[in-house]
Amino acid sequence: MIGVEMVRSTEARRSSHVAAVLLGTTILAGVPSAAFAQDAAAQSAPTEPAAQPEAETITSLTVRGAERLEQQTVLSYVKLRIGQPYTKAAADGALKDLYATELFKSVEVTNENGAVVIEVQENPVVNRIILEGNKRIKNDKILPEIKVSPRQIFTRSKVRADVARIIELYKRQGRYAATVEPKMVMLDQNRVDIVFEITEGDKSKVRQINVIGNEAFSDGELRSQMVTKQARFWRLFSSGTSYDPDRMAFDQQKLRQFYLTEGYADFRVVSAVAELTPDKKDFIITYVVEEGERYKFGDVKVESQLRDFSSEKMSQNLPMKAGDWYNAKQVEDTIESLNNTAGAFGYAFADVRPQYDRNKEDLTMGLTFVIREAPRVYVERIDINGNTLTQDKVIRREFRLAEGDAFNSLQVRRSTNRIKSLGYFQEKFEVEQKPGAADDRIILEANVEERPTGELQLSAGFSSLESFIFQASIRQRNFRGRGQTVGLSGSYSRYSRSVQASFVEPYLFDKNVSLGVDLYRRDYNNFNFQNSNRNTTYQQTTTGFQVRAGVPVTEYITAVGRYTLNYDDVSLSENQFYSIGDTGELECDPLRAGRYLCDAIGKRLSSIVGFSLIYDTLDNRVRPSRGETAQVSIDVAGLGGDVKYARLRANAAKYWPLGGGFIFSLQGEGGIIEPYGGDDYVRLTDRFYLGNPQMRGFAVRGVGPRVIRQYYGPDEDGNYTVPGNDSDDALGGKYYYMARAEMEIPLGSGAREMGLRPSVFVDAGAVWGTRRPELSDCGDGCFIGQRDQDGNQLYNVLDDDGNVVGTSIDQIDPDTGATRNPAGSTSYFTENYLGDTWLPRVAIGVGVNWNSPFGPFRIDMSHVLLKRDGDDTRVFSFNVGTQF
């Protein structure tokens, strides 16, 4: 029941002549109560005019009570005229005509000896619309549905209709207990405020789903096919537990599809009933079904009327065979496959129709796919619509067909994927096919909807790897509508800083040649862990540029050449890792830093020439769901510069859509780097490293060769047996491989709009091949502390047999008096070289990608199944504000 009640506003209280009037009672679920209907009927019922002589002539017409309307305007709505006879029928007609305008609250017609008076009371004017109590549905969703608006004439019928519309909105959200009570607040000058007081109520859940008549499959199996789910505590955040009539109709189709794929060709849903419980909180849905008999395929063949198709050969390649259980989905897929095959041969309008031969006696379904004769089709023209910024040529150059070419459905699909991969237009873009001027002509139409391609990002976040991070970037992926990419980015964190400018021209001089240029400066602080504390080891500064050019070899293969010039400056903290050498100068001390760090320091120029061969059939490079990609790259450093090495890397990935939004992918990569030209080792900064985020379940650089130092202090007897701090230094390797299997799990539409993409994964890999450091596996100790006559700490370096092979002196800082030994007061350590093996490390886990308002967010929970001595594992890792 819908109620409309007038209450006094503050403004009304100040006007003593304004009274509150009761408009009605409450409306529930959009159905007016009998009381409200009677009230409306009483209001609209015409007032009996005073009895007058039948043939009395109208001598005057007067309108009283009109405030906003002119007298002539009111008289224009009625058929009464001076000089005409006045009758009851004429008076009744005048009443009906005036009430039909919905301008008047009450009308009375009287006649005294031919002087006709029309007494009216005008309906008030709506001042404003007020919504109260609506939390689940905001004003911007409700107000467009309301027909009564400010400055319009108020009528009860309009308010009743608006109440029904509001309740319908709540029904669509599954809130069948929602009620709306309209109230009218009287103001001066015959104005009113309309207030809709909304009680939203709880969402009506589906308490139970019953299926009657099923014998082949259980209720649980059938419920699993439905989109609607029974409300249970573990489905707290599921949107499928609320009742929706459209979803219920869709579930009937899902049931039919399921039975048809299982061979039940006669299946039907007899009835589907949703009953609302008395408390209006839950629904009970009941389906009555007839399964029918289960069929098998009989004789299955193809009859082709196209001269390029052999019926016999095509029949042999059909996926279904006689004796298989009938599967309607398989039939649909076969029709689509035959249409695609015909389209690849230029028959755009090939008509493939299945002819069924049902035998109810032996329960077989014979099937003949008839491919009807059709003309070869040619592309008449290509139309591009909707592009306001992007130039036509940017879209046209992605088409694999030109005007006048023979139609090919595979090339049309490829053109669609290439245009989608640009990232300039809507995700669900398709090249439409329309008939041309003749039967053998076709028009290809690209109706695009441009979306913003400029990106300005300012983000701050926290990473388990980088601590606090600040990033700023600006990029335009479709600069001036030419398809060019221009970008400038910078980042700052506690351990790294970088700035980069880039430019990419995908079609240089309108030729199928791409050109890209990057200029960059990167500052990076490498680190190890002393116990659980991150400790900086060396600082690396890289300044350089890269120029690259790509040329397509085939439709799916591209060759890319590049040249990179880097200037690297690697340095160590002198206070932490240096000591006075034989020359009296400060030198990198292997006892403090390790031989691998001492070899890495210095300034070097790297001149690198590279070449890549890329194979790519992905349907979308931004977020692929189908296809494969592979790449082989070789880089040679030594065309000038100070560094000489050759590096080979390869990677590949394949994606499969499994239906229902699930996407499965396999990825693999590997590499090898070797020095040449007199260099007998690969620098620490050029080696391969493996760990988070490339391989989840492990720390940054947590996999592969490493040196672990364990420092010891003296016990009560002066023996160095008390464990102190330890350090963990990753060394990288010359060889590596990594593999990944991942399943992306679909979520509801709301989660997709938020950019949430959860997945489960398995990662495996290894890195190895580093030269064993000279200072390692020291057994019972590497050096023992003594003091000279000046009190300086002396370190006698011992070999494995305990013989003194050298002495190192600790330096005293003249300003602070602090010693510069590697372990503070500790003067003894053991060192172990671990992890140099090709044997795989394996981790499994779950992760979520989220395009959050603060930037891309990735969180992973991992469990390591296989690891090796020295590997550094991590169960939990996340990144905010950094790319992943």
Side-chain angles (χ1 to χ4, degrees), residues 416-445:
T416 299
N417 290 339
R418 288 181 66 93
I419 294 173
K420 286 167 62 176
S421 293
L422 293 174
Y424 307 157
F425 312 112
Q426 73 273 24
E427 290 187 7
K428 296 183 179 180
F429 167 79
E430 293 291 339
V431 174
E432 298 182 14
Q433 304 168 26
K434 295 187 176 180
D439 291 342
D440 62 346
R441 296 289 183 267
I442 192 171
I443 297 173
L444 300 181
E445 194 170 89

Side-chain angles (χ1 to χ4, degrees), residues 213 216 259 263-268 289-295:
Y259 269 94
Y264 293 87
D266 297 327
F267 172 83
R268 69 188 186 97
V289 302
E290 284 186 5
E291 293 181 330
E293 299 292 344
R294 193 179 189 188
Y295 287 78

Side-chain angles (χ1 to χ4, degrees), residues 305-495:
Q305 298 174 5
L306 301 178
R307 62 179 182 273
D308 297 317
F309 289 74
S310 169
S311 298
E312 183 178 350
K313 289 183 178 180
M314 297 191 73
S315 298
Q316 294 173 354
N317 293 325
L318 290 175
M320 67 281 292
K321 305 297 180 184
D324 293 345
W325 290 113
Y326 173 74
N327 188 328
K329 181 64 168 56
Q330 197 173 39
V331 174
E332 292 177 4
D333 293 342
T334 302
I335 293 173
E336 183 180 357
S337 176
L338 292 174
N339 274 316
N340 290 337
T341 303
F345 283 86
Y347 297 98
F349 304 113
D351 186 11
V352 180
R353 296 189 180 183
Q355 294 182 353
Y356 297 93
D357 181 16
R358 181 179 309 194
N359 189 325
K360 294 187 177 181
E361 294 181 359
D362 58 7
L363 299 178
T364 59
M365 184 76 72
L367 186 59
T368 302
F369 295 97
V370 179
I371 307 177
R372 303 200 173 187
E373 187 175 1
R376 282 186 179 275
V377 176
Y378 298 86
V379 178
E380 179 178 328
R381 69 175 187 272
I382 297 174
D383 293 339
I384 298 174
N385 306 313
N387 53 316
T388 56
L389 171 67
T390 307
Q391 298 181 5
D392 273 16
K393 68 177 184 180
V394 174
I395 304 173
R396 289 186 181 276
R397 65 196 184 193
E398 302 301 330
F399 272 89
R400 304 297 94 183
L401 289 168
E403 292 163 345
D405 287 352
F407 175 83
N408 187 308
S409 60
L410 298 180
Q411 297 289 30
V412 172
R413 189 179 304 113
R414 176 61 177 168
S415 301
T416 299
N417 290 339
R418 288 181 66 93
I419 294 173
K420 286 167 62 176
S421 293
L422 293 174
Y424 307 157
F425 312 112
Q426 73 273 24
E427 290 187 7
K428 296 183 179 180
F429 167 79
E430 293 291 339
V431 174
E432 298 182 14
Q433 304 168 26
K434 295 187 176 180
D439 291 342
D440 62 346
R441 296 289 183 267
I442 192 171
I443 297 173
L444 300 181
E445 194 170 89
N447 295 310
V448 300
E449 295 178 15
E450 290 186 316
R451 58 184 183 183
T453 54
E455 300 172 3
L456 175 62
Q457 181 180 7
L458 298 174
S459 61
F462 183 85
S463 166
S464 58
L465 311 180
E466 294 288 332
S467 188
F468 286 99
I469 302 169
F470 176 79
Q471 283 189 321
S473 66
I474 182 171
R475 186 173 68 148
Q476 173 55 256
R477 294 182 290 110
N478 188 15
F479 184 62
R480 298 175 60 193
R482 298 173 179 269
Q484 301 166 339
T485 300
V486 179
L488 179 65
S489 64
S491 67
Y492 179 87
S493 74
R494 183 177 178 183
Y495 300 105

Side-chain angles (χ1 to χ4, degrees), residues 531-587:
N531 294 338
S532 60
N533 299 319
R534 178 169 175 160
N535 178 55
T536 298
T537 54
Y538 66 84
Q539 298 83 38
Q540 179 180 359
T541 299
T542 301
T543 306
F545 71 89
Q546 183 182 92
V547 179
R548 58 192 177 277
V551 179
V553 179
T554 68
E555 173 61 25
Y556 300 104
I557 299 177
T558 302
V560 178
R562 59 186 170 273
Y563 175 73
T564 306
L565 185 66
N566 288 335
Y567 179 74
D568 295 320
D569 185 2
V570 179
S571 59
L572 295 171
S573 169
E574 292 185 357
N575 288 340
Q576 186 176 0
F577 298 110
Y578 278 61
S579 64
I580 296 178
D582 296 336
T583 62
E585 301 291 334
L586 282 176
E587 297 178 353

Side-chain angles (χ1 to χ4, degrees), residues 802-816:
N803 301 316
V804 177
V805 294
T807 301
S808 176
I809 185 170
D810 172 26
Q811 295 299 304
I812 304 298
D813 190 307
D815 296 326
T816 64

Side-chain angles (χ1 to χ4, degrees), residues 578-841:
Y578 278 61
S579 64
I580 296 178
D582 296 336
T583 62
E585 301 291 334
L586 282 176
E587 297 178 353
C588 181
D589 189 347
L591 293 177
R592 300 167 182 263
R595 175 60 58 191
Y596 54 92
L597 277 181
C598 291
D599 291 341
I601 62 174
K603 299 178 180 180
R604 294 178 177 84
L605 186 68
S606 300
S607 178
I608 308 167
V609 177
F611 174 80
S612 296
L613 205 59
I614 304 170
Y615 173 76
D616 187 352
T617 64
L618 298 179
D619 61 342
N620 191 323
R621 296 189 186 99
V622 179
R623 187 180 175 184
S625 62
R626 183 191 304 272
E628 57 266 352
T629 181
Q631 178 174 337
V632 178
S633 301
I634 184 169
D635 294 282
V636 178
L639 186 64
D642 307 314
V643 181
K644 297 183 184 297
Y645 65 77
R647 179 173 58 206
L648 177 67
R649 286 181 294 184
N651 61 72
K654 185 172 178 62
Y655 297 83
W656 293 270
L658 303 183
F662 289 89
I663 300 173
F664 179 69
S665 63
L666 288 176
Q667 303 175 49
E669 60 179 282
I672 177 173
I673 184 170
E674 289 287 352
Y676 74 94
D679 287 350
D680 60 351
Y681 76 99
V682 178
R683 286 191 309 157
L684 185 73
T685 54
D686 294 325
R687 297 172 187 166
F688 297 119
Y689 292 89
L690 202 57
N692 194 49
Q694 304 99 324
M695 188 169 174
R696 293 158 290 191
F698 295 86
V700 178
R701 301 186 173 188
V703 175
R706 60 210 320 102
V707 168
I708 298 179
R709 282 188 178 186
Q710 175 66 64
Y711 294 93
Y712 292 89
D715 57 18
E716 295 178 354
D717 299 327
N719 298 317
Y720 287 86
T721 59
V722 180
N725 293 333
D726 62 349
S727 65
D728 184 347
D729 292 295
L731 306 185
K734 295 198 300 181
Y735 319 104
Y736 89 101
Y737 68 85
M738 190 184 73
R740 173 180 300 162
E742 190 159 8
M743 175 78 78
E744 185 175 317
I745 302 171
L747 294 179
S749 57
R752 285 198 301 270
E753 292 174 1
M754 293 175 59
L756 288 172
R757 292 183 290 126
S759 63
V760 294
F761 60 84
V762 178
D763 288 353
V767 58
W768 75 100
T770 298
R771 186 180 66 181
R772 188 185 192 91
E774 293 181 6
L775 184 61
S776 62
D777 285 340
C778 297
D780 292 334
C782 292
F783 56 92
I784 299 174
Q786 300 176 359
R787 292 190 179 274
D788 63 6
Q789 59 184 3
D790 297 324
N792 295 324
Q793 188 77 39
L794 292 175
Y795 296 94
N796 293 329
V797 182
L798 308 180
D799 61 12
D800 292 340
D801 297 326
N803 301 316
V804 177
V805 294
T807 301
S808 176
I809 185 170
D810 172 26
Q811 295 299 304
I812 304 298
D813 190 307
D815 296 326
T816 64
T819 62
R820 295 178 180 169
N821 65 345
S825 62
T826 302
S827 57
Y828 183 92
F829 69 84
T830 59
E831 186 172 278
N832 291 301
Y833 176 64
L834 305 171
D836 189 9
T837 174
W838 60 269
L839 294 174
R841 285 75 159 173

Side-chain angles (χ1 to χ4, degrees), residues 39-314:
D39 178 68
Q43 171 186 295
S44 60
T47 304
E48 289 290 338
Q52 298 294 334
E54 290 284 338
E56 192 168 1
T57 301
I58 300 174
T59 58
S60 66
L61 286 170
T62 304
V63 177
R64 294 176 184 171
E67 297 178 359
R68 296 186 304 270
L69 299 174
E70 297 290 338
Q71 176 170 313
Q72 294 302 319
T73 303
V74 177
L75 292 177
S76 68
Y77 295 131
V78 300
K79 298 181 177 63
L80 298 176
R81 296 292 182 266
I82 295 175
Q84 292 180 351
Y86 177 83
T87 62
K88 265 189 174 183
D92 288 343
L95 288 173
K96 292 177 181 178
D97 291 337
L98 291 174
Y99 276 117
T101 65
E102 296 190 338
L103 297 174
F104 307 103
K105 183 177 182 181
S106 65
V107 180
E108 184 178 359
V109 179
T110 60
N111 175 31
E112 292 184 8
N113 301 322
V116 178
V117 178
I118 302 175
E119 187 81 28
V120 298
Q121 183 180 354
E122 294 175 341
N123 272 328
V125 174
V126 177
N127 179 54
R128 57 178 176 161
I129 306 296
I130 302 172
L131 301 175
E132 294 182 354
N134 55 310
K135 297 179 180 179
R136 301 295 180 178
I137 304 181
K138 300 302 180 183
N139 288 9
D140 59 348
K141 300 295 184 183
I142 297 178
L143 290 176
E145 298 293 326
I146 295 176
K147 301 306 179 184
V148 174
S149 61
R151 295 181 296 279
Q152 282 189 353
I153 303 300
F154 166 82
T155 64
R156 296 170 184 265
S157 60
K158 289 182 179 179
V159 172
R160 284 195 295 270
D162 286 341
V163 169
R165 291 187 186 97
I166 295 172
I167 289 179
E168 183 61 29
L169 288 178
Y170 279 95
K171 282 184 179 180
R172 293 174 189 172
Q173 283 203 350
R175 298 182 183 276
Y176 282 79
T179 61
V180 178
E181 184 178 353
K183 293 183 178 181
M184 183 174 70
V185 181
M186 294 297 300
L187 307 174
D188 57 5
Q189 298 178 356
N190 201 20
R191 297 176 300 128
V192 293
D193 285 344
I194 305 300
V195 181
F196 292 97
E197 292 187 352
I198 301 172
T199 303
E200 295 181 319
D202 295 328
K203 183 174 284 190
S204 300
K205 301 291 187 179
V206 176
R207 179 188 299 177
Q208 184 71 30
I209 300 177
N210 301 318
V211 184
I212 300 174
N214 54 311
E215 297 180 358
F217 303 99
S218 67
D219 288 9
E221 289 178 285
L222 298 182
R223 290 192 198 107
S224 67
Q225 302 298 318
M226 302 177 189
V227 177
T228 304
K229 302 298 181 183
Q230 297 178 137
R232 298 294 184 266
F233 71 90
W234 60 84
R235 298 193 180 111
L236 181 63
F237 300 104
S238 173
S239 61
T241 58
S242 59
Y243 171 72
D244 186 335
D246 294 335
R247 191 185 295 140
M248 185 175 171
F250 182 69
D251 286 337
Q252 295 180 57
Q253 295 299 321
K254 294 280 289 182
L255 285 175
R256 177 169 173 76
Q257 291 174 6
F258 172 70
Y259 269 94
L260 289 177
T261 58
E262 296 294 332
Y264 293 87
D266 297 327
F267 172 83
R268 69 188 186 97
V269 178
V270 178
S271 66
V273 178
E275 296 176 290
L276 187 62
T277 55
D279 58 6
K280 297 179 177 60
K281 291 184 177 180
D282 297 306
F283 275 90
I284 298 175
I285 299 176
T286 304
Y287 295 98
V288 179
V289 302
E290 284 186 5
E291 293 181 330
E293 299 292 344
R294 193 179 189 188
Y295 287 78
K296 292 184 177 182
F297 281 112
D299 293 333
V300 184
K301 59 183 178 179
V302 176
E303 289 185 2
S304 174
Q305 298 174 5
L306 301 178
R307 62 179 182 273
D308 297 317
F309 289 74
S310 169
S311 298
E312 183 178 350
K313 289 183 178 180
M314 297 191 73

